[in-house]
Amino acid sequence: MMKNTYLTLFLLLLTGQLFAQQNGSPYYGFRLGLTAHPTLGWVKPEVGKSEGLALGFSYGLLGDFNFAENYSFATGLTITTINGKSTEVNARPYYNPADGNNVAYDLRYRLQYIEVPLTIKLKTNKIGPLRWYGQFGISNDFNIGAKQNAQMAGKKVENDRNISDYTKFYRAGMVVAAGGEYDLDDRTSVAIGLTFNNGLTNIVKDGDRRAKNHYVGLNLGVFF
């Protein structure tokens, strides 16, 4: 099964390379790009409430495997920060079960991931130097940093607390994106768009407590 999948991907990529040689189009074959853009993130706990948006950042590499003029397998390797604020009850490491009472904490998450999206990108035909695109797929995120500020009843409990022991290593998200690509020359183009990354998995490693994080990114990239 896996061998057949790899063979199919190889044939698709080979076909794209052949089209590139015949047509000289920048939309065939493999394209590598760079990205750096802001994100607006939020945290939604299962018990408690979200407390609004927080600014983050994403940067790294983009890759498009163009297996036809209008279709691409789009991936990348980025460092993505997903920040957010929430109010949650009995959150560790701040809550002491020996106290016996429910305690609400105002939390500010600062989570950093290595993000590897696996998506399909659909493009329109060129309208002058511009193509519009839509993108859909899954992101695979691996936590490399987790810090948190905590307050209780308006009073500081912790600042920059390392919560790696209370944060899941793997996060999955659903990616929905749209935007445009503008040709600068035969091989270089600028991509601008919006991405919604909807968290699918629990980010908290703390008993029965559950929360998910999400973000919207203003995508800025350059393909070569």
Side-chain angles (χ1 to χ4, degrees):
M1 182 67 177
M2 291 300 294
K3 289 182 178 180
N4 291 336
T5 301
Y6 291 140
L7 179 60
T8 301
L9 289 173
F10 174 75
L11 291 175
L12 288 172
L13 294 177
L14 180 61
T15 301
Q17 293 291 347
L18 290 175
F19 275 117
Q21 294 173 7
Q22 293 172 2
N23 298 337
S25 168
Y27 293 102
Y28 289 94
F30 175 69
R31 302 182 72 208
L32 186 66
L34 299 173
T35 185
H37 61 265
T39 65
L40 286 175
W42 65 97
V43 173
K44 187 172 179 57
E46 190 174 85
V47 179
K49 61 179 180 177
S50 177
E51 294 291 355
L53 302 174
L55 186 65
F57 202 73
S58 180
Y59 62 93
L61 299 174
L62 302 174
D64 278 8
F65 294 86
N66 301 284
F67 52 87
E69 184 176 4
N70 299 96
Y71 310 106
S72 306
F73 171 70
T75 184
L77 182 67
T78 61
I79 304 298
T80 299
T81 303
I82 309 176
N83 299 330
K85 298 176 284 185
S86 66
T87 297
E88 300 180 47
V89 175
N90 300 348
R92 292 193 299 168
Y94 319 111
Y95 175 68
N96 184 358
D99 294 341
N101 298 319
N102 289 332
V103 180
Y105 295 91
D106 296 321
L107 306 176
R108 182 181 179 92
Y109 289 83
R110 298 194 302 280
L111 304 180
Q112 193 172 59
Y113 297 91
I114 294 175
E115 183 174 357
V116 183
L118 303 174
T119 67
I120 295 296
K121 182 186 288 186
L122 309 178
K123 304 175 186 177
T124 66
N125 291 326
K126 289 180 67 173
I127 305 172
L130 183 67
R131 284 190 178 213
W132 299 104
Y133 70 84
Q135 194 171 343
F136 179 80
I138 296 291
S139 72
N140 300 277
D141 306 336
F142 307 93
N143 186 261
I144 57 173
K147 291 189 176 182
Q148 192 174 68
N149 295 350
Q151 291 186 346
M152 182 184 67
K155 296 181 180 179
K156 183 178 72 173
V157 177
E158 289 275 7
N159 266 350
D160 290 331
R161 175 67 184 253
N162 188 324
I163 57 166
S164 296
D165 291 340
Y166 300 92
T167 303
K168 297 278 190 179
F169 174 67
Y170 175 74
R171 172 192 180 274
M174 181 179 69
V175 177
V176 180
E181 293 184 9
Y182 183 87
D183 287 349
L184 298 178
D185 57 32
D186 289 344
R187 295 294 174 184
T188 307
S189 62
V190 175
I192 301 175
L194 286 175
T195 293
F196 171 50
N197 188 304
N198 183 48
L200 301 175
T201 55
N202 182 25
I203 62 171
V204 177
K205 190 166 56 176
D206 180 8
D208 294 331
R209 190 161 64 93
R210 297 181 61 84
K212 298 177 182 179
N213 58 357
H214 320 276
Y215 75 84
V216 174
L218 173 61
N219 302 124
L220 301 171
V222 180
F223 284 97
F224 303 97

